[in-house]
């Protein structure tokens, strides 16, 4: 099947998944890009429909057909409406992965390392933090009191599909704190008001690094729940770093301490 009309119902249904409301209602997500789709499939995302530019991505098409998905070739206005990143990008409609805390692995034989982000507002920032947590070998990421859907197309794109390989949960801050306490995970909150530098905290045990939104910082609930509060010294005119940069510094400090 080849679709060229932007008014085609299959195209309209897929494009609607850019809206968080439609993703929640349908339980489906939209994934664009061969790398991102490959990582989604490797993580077990069930594909429903794969859209590919006419005559392209034969290998990916074969894989999706084998997994039971419909494969549709698109061109012209249909392709222009569907693909945000360019005319060569494949686009997948697939089932959303579970995001409950119960799907998150607790610390096992080795010390767990988690990243918790509270009310992060920018999809690009959240996607970057997911990539960082994945790169640091984190056991999971929790989006607390979410302002952005971690399985939105812009977050998936910014994470280069890492959101599929990194166990990711969405929960309230209260439920997240309860989960961390239940699993005996030390809460390390980053805040400019702390008195301990990030490198002085012991991050060798099971820890969760907590990062707040850039404009508001962490809520009182996290400040009060923290076992340790740490800061990154600022020597310029700014009073804080980008949230993703902060996450990278603290997580890789944990990696450094654990490698000694």
């Amino acid at each position: 099947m080849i679709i060229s009309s932007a008014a085609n119902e299959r195209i309209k249904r897929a494009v609607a998944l850019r809206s968080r409301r439609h993703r929640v209602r349908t339980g489906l997500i939209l994934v664009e890009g061969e790398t991102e789709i490959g990582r989604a499939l490797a993580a077990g995302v069930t594909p429903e429909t794969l859209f590919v530019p006419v005559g392209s991505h034969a290998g990916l098409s074969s894989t999706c057909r084998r997994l039971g998905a419909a494969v549709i070739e698109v061109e012209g206005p249909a392709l222009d409406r569907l693909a945000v990143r360019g005319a060569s990008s494949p686009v997948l409609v697939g089932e959303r992965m579970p995001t409950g805390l119960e799907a998150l692995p607790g610390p096992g034989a080795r010390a767990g390392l988690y990243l918790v982000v509270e009310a992060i507002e920018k999809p690009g920032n959240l996607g970057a933090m997911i990539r960082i947590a994945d790169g640091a070998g984190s056991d999971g990421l929790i989006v607390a009191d979410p302002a952005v859907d971690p399985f939105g197309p812009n977050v998936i794109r910014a994470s280069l599909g890492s959101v599929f390989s990194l166990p990711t949960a969405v929960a309230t801050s209260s439920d997240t704190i309860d989960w961390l306490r239940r699993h005996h995970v030390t809460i390390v909150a980053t805040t400019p008001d702390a008195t301990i530098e990030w490198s002085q905290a012991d991050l060798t045990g099971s820890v969760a690094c907590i990062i707040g939104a850039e404009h508001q910082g962490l809520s009182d609930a996290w400040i009060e729940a923290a076992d340790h509060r740490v800061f990154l010294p600022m020597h310029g005119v700014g009073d804080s770093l980008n949230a993703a940069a902060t996450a990278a510094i603290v997580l890789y400090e944990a990696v450094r301490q654990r490698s000694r």
Side-chain angles (χ1 to χ4, degrees), residues 17 23 28-30 45 96-99 126 148-156 163-164 166 168-170:
L17 293 173
R23 293 194 299 273
L28 298 172
I29 58 174
L30 195 67
V45 169
R96 183 185 181 91
M97 298 183 74
T99 56
L126 180 55
V148 173
D149 178 10
F151 287 99
N154 292 331
V155 178
I156 293 171
V163 68
F164 298 112
L166 177 70
T168 300
V170 177

Side-chain angles (χ1 to χ4, degrees), residues 2 11 15 44 47 50 96-97 113 170 195 224 239 254 259:
I2 297 177
I11 300 297
V15 170
L50 176 70
R96 183 185 181 91
M97 298 183 74
L113 178 61
V170 177
T195 57
E224 293 167 5
D239 60 0
S259 69

Side-chain angles (χ1 to χ4, degrees), residues 17 26 92 108 120 132 144 151 164 169-170 205 212 215:
L17 293 173
T26 62
L92 179 77
I120 298 298
I132 290 162
F151 287 99
F164 298 112
V170 177
H215 296 300

Side-chain angles (χ1 to χ4, degrees), residues 14-233:
V15 170
L17 293 173
R18 293 175 187 159
S19 161
R20 184 175 184 173
R21 178 170 61 86
H22 280 84
R23 293 194 299 273
V24 170
R25 182 174 62 81
T26 62
L28 298 172
I29 58 174
L30 195 67
V31 187
E32 182 177 358
E34 188 162 14
T35 296
E36 291 84 345
I37 292 172
R39 288 176 177 170
L41 297 177
V45 169
T46 301
E48 182 202 73
T49 307
L50 176 70
F51 298 92
V52 295
V54 173
S56 68
H57 301 286
L60 180 60
S61 297
S62 177
T63 298
C64 286
R65 283 195 187 96
R66 190 169 64 251
L67 293 171
V71 176
I72 298 173
E73 292 187 297
V74 289
E75 62 182 5
L79 180 58
D80 292 339
R81 185 174 186 189
L82 190 61
V84 173
R85 295 172 60 177
S88 64
S89 294
V91 177
L92 179 77
V93 174
E95 293 184 6
R96 183 185 181 91
M97 298 183 74
T99 56
L101 285 169
E102 66 278 359
L104 202 67
R110 69 180 183 89
L113 178 61
Y114 301 91
L115 177 65
V116 178
V117 296
E118 183 190 31
I120 298 298
E121 298 173 341
K122 298 178 181 178
N125 254 357
L126 180 55
M129 294 165 89
I130 291 168
R131 286 182 67 185
I132 290 162
D134 178 66
S138 299
D139 294 281
L141 177 138
I142 303 173
V143 183
D145 296 333
V148 173
D149 178 10
F151 287 99
N154 292 331
V155 178
I156 293 171
R157 184 181 310 120
S159 77
L160 284 180
S162 295
V163 68
F164 298 112
S165 59
L166 177 70
T168 300
V170 177
T172 65
S173 287
S174 176
D175 286 346
T176 303
I177 291 168
D178 289 344
W179 188 91
L180 295 172
R181 290 282 183 246
R182 200 161 60 246
H183 288 86
H184 308 290
V185 177
T186 299
I187 297 174
V188 180
T190 58
T191 171
D193 299 325
T195 57
I196 301 173
E197 289 195 22
W198 89 104
S199 59
Q200 302 305 308
D202 182 359
L203 304 177
T204 57
S206 289
V207 298
C209 302
I210 321 298
I211 310 292
E214 291 174 9
H215 296 300
Q216 300 172 332
L218 288 173
S219 65
D220 291 342
W222 282 108
I223 299 299
E224 293 167 5
D227 299 295
H228 303 296
R229 302 177 188 89
V230 300
F231 75 98
L232 276 64

